[in-house]
């Protein structure tokens, strides 16, 4: 009779451990019951994009990043794999997968920008890749002319003095 209780407790502990592991994976973005189409993109840099970050179309989440690894060419490019979980979303040729800032905290996402082509992209295809200019880069670009004018002004003041 005692072994029956020990067996039940052991099965309950193992089942609890399996549910814990699956629950943590689910919270990280892994959905074992999900059915999605896999697409790829090759980037020179990813600026903080991580596994389980969202894939969006027109601000609507349609999938998530499933894997990030170095490309097989050995040149240092990054191969990003992402899943599109919306079966009604059709991607055409020339579709661009752009890494964008998703919020003010710098969380990254992949924004799918539909292409103008007529041929449909199939699951497993590699999409065109782009990276949106970050806030620091855009501020730097805007301030560059001001810096140049300031340098000219300082040079002029030096000549006068």
């Amino acid at each position: 009779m005692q072994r029956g209780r020990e067996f039940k407790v052991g099965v309950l502990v193992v089942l609890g451990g399996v549910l814990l592991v699956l629950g943590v994976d689910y919270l990280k973005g892994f959905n074992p019951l999900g059915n999605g189409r896999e697409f790829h993109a090759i980037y020179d840099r990813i600026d903080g994009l991580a596994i389980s970050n969202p894939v969006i179309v027109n601000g609507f989440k349609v999938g998530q990043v499933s894997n990030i690894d170095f490309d097989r060419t050995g040149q240092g490019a990054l191969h990003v794999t992402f899943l599109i979980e919306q079966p009604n979303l059709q991607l055409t040729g020339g579709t661009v997968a752009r890494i964008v800032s998703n919020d003010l905290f710098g969380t990254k996402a992949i924004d799918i920008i539909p292409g103008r082509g007529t041929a449909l992209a199939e699951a497993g295809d590699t999409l065109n890749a782009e990276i949106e200019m970050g806030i620091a880069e855009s501020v730097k670009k805007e301030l560059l002319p001001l810096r140049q004018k300031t340098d000219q002004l300082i040079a002029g003041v030096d000549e006068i003095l």
Side-chain angles (χ1 to χ4, degrees):
M1 187 69 177
Q2 195 68 5
R3 288 199 174 198
R5 282 187 176 169
E6 291 172 354
F7 180 74
K8 289 178 185 177
V9 169
V11 168
L12 190 62
V13 168
V14 169
L15 185 62
V18 169
L19 287 175
L20 177 68
V21 169
L22 287 176
V24 169
D25 283 345
Y26 182 76
L27 290 175
K28 287 182 181 178
F30 172 70
N31 186 1
L33 303 176
N35 188 6
R37 295 173 291 153
E38 187 175 87
F39 290 95
H40 308 275
I42 309 292
Y43 297 96
D44 292 332
R45 57 186 171 75
I46 57 172
D47 292 346
L49 184 73
I51 294 174
S52 80
N53 280 25
V55 176
I56 56 177
V57 174
N58 298 330
F60 179 68
K61 182 180 176 187
V62 296
Q64 65 186 5
V65 176
S66 62
N67 191 22
I68 300 173
D69 202 1
F70 284 104
D71 194 31
R72 287 184 232 143
T73 61
Q75 302 295 323
L78 294 161
H79 181 197
V80 176
T81 305
F82 54 93
L83 295 173
I84 302 290
E85 297 168 350
Q86 296 292 324
N88 296 334
L89 178 64
Q90 299 297 324
L91 302 179
T92 58
T95 296
V96 176
R98 180 183 292 164
I99 296 178
V100 297
S101 290
N102 199 27
D103 55 24
L104 292 175
F105 299 114
T107 305
K108 299 297 181 180
I110 294 180
D111 189 14
I112 301 296
I113 301 165
R116 301 271 183 213
T118 57
L120 294 178
E122 299 291 326
D125 284 352
T126 301
L127 302 179
N128 298 330
E130 289 182 0
I131 300 175
E132 180 183 57
M133 189 182 311
I135 293 173
E137 292 171 347
S138 61
V139 168
K140 191 177 189 181
K141 183 179 176 183
E142 292 293 325
L143 292 180
L144 185 62
L146 180 63
R147 181 177 177 227
Q148 291 171 347
K149 288 180 182 179
T150 305
D151 290 343
Q152 290 173 354
L153 179 65
I154 290 173
V157 169
D158 282 346
E159 287 179 18
I160 292 173
L161 290 176

